[in-house]
Amino acid sequence: MIPFHIVGLDISLTSTGMATGLGWCEKTGRDGITKLPLQSKYRALNRLASDIIVLTNAEKAHLVLVEKLVFNRQDGGRGGAGERSYLYYRTMGIIADAGVPVVEVPQATLKTYALGKGSGEKNEIVDSVARRLPMFHTGGKHDMADAAVLAALGADYLGHPLADMPKAHRAAIDKLTWPEVAR
C-alpha cells in the first residue's frame, strides 16, 4: 500500500473517470446537462464537481493528476465545450483552493505512460490497464482506464510505482512539470 493519497481524473460531463493510487476507480456524470436552462445547468455542474471531489476525497489528496482539457473541431459539433470547461475549472479550482498540488497531463503524455508511445487508441489504453494495472477494475471503460493511468503515473513519480513499467512508459514522468510534493 502506498503512503500517499493520489487521485487521477479524466473529467467529462457524462462520464468522468476517477481513480486513486489504492486501485479504486469509478465514474460519474450526468446526461442532458447541455440541454438544461442556464440556472439548472449551473446547479447540475456544481453538483457534479462536488460529487467528483467527494467521491475521490480530492481535497485531502497529496497529489491530483488530471487529463488536460483540450478543444478541437469536434467539440463544436458535439456541443458542451463550455459546460465541460466550467466543470473542469470548477473542479480543479476547488482542489487547488484546498492546497492540493495538481498536475495537468496532456493526452499524449498519458498515452506514453500507458503505451510507451504518445499515440494510440482508447481500447489500447484499456487493454494496457487490464494487463499492467489489474488492481483497477475498469470494466473496459476508457474514462476509468485513463484515470487509472493518471493515478499510477502519480504514484510512480512519488516513488511508489503500482507496476513495473518499462523505461519507454516511464519517460512520461520527465515530460511533466511537477509541483512541490513531499516525496
Side-chain angles (χ1 to χ4, degrees):
M1 179 146 85
I2 64 172
F4 297 101
H5 178 46
I6 301 163
V7 174
L9 296 172
D10 178 11
I11 293 180
S12 159
L13 295 174
T14 58
S15 189
T16 291
M18 306 169 290
T20 70
L22 298 175
W24 173 87
C25 64
E26 189 56 63
K27 64 180 185 145
T28 190
R30 178 172 171 196
D31 290 324
I33 287 178
T34 60
K35 295 182 170 103
L36 294 172
L38 184 59
Q39 193 170 22
S40 298
K41 184 184 301 188
Y42 175 75
R43 281 195 293 269
L45 289 166
N46 286 340
R47 207 168 19 256
L48 187 50
S50 178
D51 288 349
I52 293 165
I53 290 163
V54 168
L55 287 167
T56 60
N57 199 22
E59 286 181 296
K60 302 221 189 291
H62 293 96
L63 179 64
V64 172
L65 290 86
V66 62
E67 185 173 346
K68 189 172 183 173
L69 185 63
V70 174
F71 293 102
N72 56 41
R73 288 185 171 160
Q74 295 170 353
D75 286 330
R78 286 185 298 167
E83 291 87 348
R84 191 166 46 95
S85 294
Y86 178 82
L87 177 61
Y88 181 92
Y89 287 111
R90 174 75 175 158
T91 305
M92 300 319 299
I94 293 168
I95 293 168
D97 284 349
V100 177
V102 174
V103 178
E104 287 185 305
V105 181
Q107 193 175 66
T109 306
L110 184 154
K111 289 179 179 182
T112 298
Y113 193 76
L115 306 173
K117 59 184 181 170
S119 63
E121 299 299 318
K122 293 178 185 212
N123 64 336
E124 291 178 273
I125 295 171
V126 171
D127 292 344
S128 176
V129 169
R131 191 174 61 259
R132 294 188 185 282
L133 301 165
M135 70 284 290
F136 293 103
H137 301 284
T138 67
K141 304 291 184 197
H142 66 85
D143 41 22
M144 291 168 56
D146 285 352
V149 170
L150 293 167
L153 175 58
D156 200 343
Y157 171 72
L158 291 176
H160 296 276
L162 302 182
D164 186 20
M165 300 298 277
K167 185 177 180 181
H169 296 243
R170 294 191 81 243
I173 294 170
D174 295 330
K175 293 181 179 196
L176 295 169
T177 302
W178 294 94
E180 287 294 320
V181 180
R183 297 173 75 183

